[in-house]
Amino acid sequence: MMAKILKLVAAAAALSLLAGCVVFSVYPFYMPKDLVFDSSVTGHWMESKSPNVSWQFDDVGGKYYLLTVMDTERTNGFEAKLFQLKNYRFLDLLTTNRDPFRSYEMPVHLICKVAHNGETNLSLHFLDYGWLSDLLSTNPSALRHVIVPDEAGDTTNHMVYLTAETKELQKFLLKHVDDTNAFSSDSAVELNLASH
C-alpha cells in the first residue's frame, strides 16, 4: 500500500517541475529560524532557455512566496520558502496542487540553491536527482531515504524519496553545496525578471 501511495505522489510531483527529474523530500529543508525574505524575488520571471515558461512569485505577507510555474499546457503551484544556511541561500518548494479527492497524496518538498545575479537574474540550481541516486546506490547510509519501484518487483526503474529529518538534510546540503555535480548546471533554471 505504501509503495502505491508513494508512486502516486511521484506521478503528481513529476508534473510539478518542468525541468527534468528533481529530488523529493518528505520533510522540509528549513527550520523556521532559517527563513529569510527578499522582496526582489517577488515578481514575474521568464525562463531564459524556455521563454514560454514563466515563474510568478507572489508575496505572502513578507513571510514566504506563493509560486506559480506555468507553460502553455499546465500550471503548478508551490509554497516557496527562502532560507539561509551559512552564506548560502536556498528555496524549499512545497507542492500545493494536489488532488483534494485523493486524501492519500502527501505534499513533497523540492530544494534548489539560489543565486540572485543582480536585480533581474535569478539562478535556481536544483539538487541533481541523478547524482543523488548514484550516491545513494553506492553509499545508502549517506542520507535516509526510501526507494520505490515503478512496478512491483522492478529492480531497475524506481524513484528515490528522502525521509531524513530537517537537521540531517541541512547537514547534507552544506556538505555538498559547492559540489558542481550535486548542484549541476544541468539541473539549473535561469530566470529573467519580466515585471515586479
Side-chain angles (χ1 to χ4, degrees):
M1 182 65 174
M2 181 57 76
K4 185 176 181 182
I5 291 170
L6 289 174
K7 186 175 177 183
L8 290 165
V9 172
L15 298 174
S16 65
L17 201 68
L18 306 172
C21 205
V22 293
V23 174
F24 302 124
S25 173
V26 174
Y27 290 96
F29 291 87
Y30 64 89
M31 300 281 200
K33 66 178 178 57
D34 305 317
L35 293 175
V36 294
F37 189 82
D38 184 345
S39 60
S40 65
V41 172
T42 304
H44 190 77
W45 301 78
M46 304 301 292
E47 284 191 21
S48 58
K49 292 181 182 175
S50 303
N52 64 325
V53 181
S54 66
W55 296 56
Q56 177 69 42
F57 288 88
D58 292 313
D59 178 356
V60 180
K63 296 180 180 178
Y64 64 95
Y65 316 89
L66 282 181
L67 170 61
T68 307
V69 180
M70 297 165 280
D71 69 3
T72 55
E73 297 177 11
R74 69 191 129 214
T75 299
N76 296 290
F78 304 89
E79 281 184 11
K81 295 192 176 176
L82 185 65
F83 67 98
Q84 187 157 332
L85 299 176
K86 296 191 175 179
N87 295 323
Y88 302 97
R89 284 196 169 177
F90 300 89
L91 267 176
D92 178 298
L93 303 177
L94 175 66
T95 56
T96 59
N97 51 325
R98 301 180 298 276
D99 188 335
F101 299 106
R102 293 181 176 173
S103 59
Y104 50 77
E105 283 188 9
M106 73 179 178
V108 289
H109 295 263
L110 291 67
I111 188 66
C112 61
K113 183 170 66 168
V114 177
H116 206 172
N117 309 318
E119 291 295 314
T120 60
N121 299 98
L122 195 62
S123 295
L124 307 177
H125 285 78
F126 285 83
L127 184 59
D128 189 274
Y129 179 86
W131 172 85
L132 180 66
S133 181
D134 290 345
L135 174 70
L136 295 177
S137 68
T138 57
N139 184 9
S141 63
L143 193 62
R144 280 192 303 134
H145 64 285
V146 294
I147 296 174
V148 181
D150 285 354
E151 295 180 16
D154 188 346
T155 58
T156 56
N157 298 308
H158 60 268
M159 282 293 297
V160 173
Y161 294 85
L162 300 180
T163 57
E165 293 186 20
T166 302
K167 284 185 181 180
E168 192 180 349
L169 291 170
Q170 291 188 345
K171 184 177 177 183
F172 185 83
L173 286 179
L174 288 173
K175 181 177 180 180
H176 299 286
V177 68
D178 290 320
D179 186 332
T180 55
N181 293 312
F183 292 94
S184 71
S185 57
D186 291 340
S187 65
V189 176
E190 302 293 334
L191 301 176
N192 299 312
L193 185 63
S195 64
H196 264 293

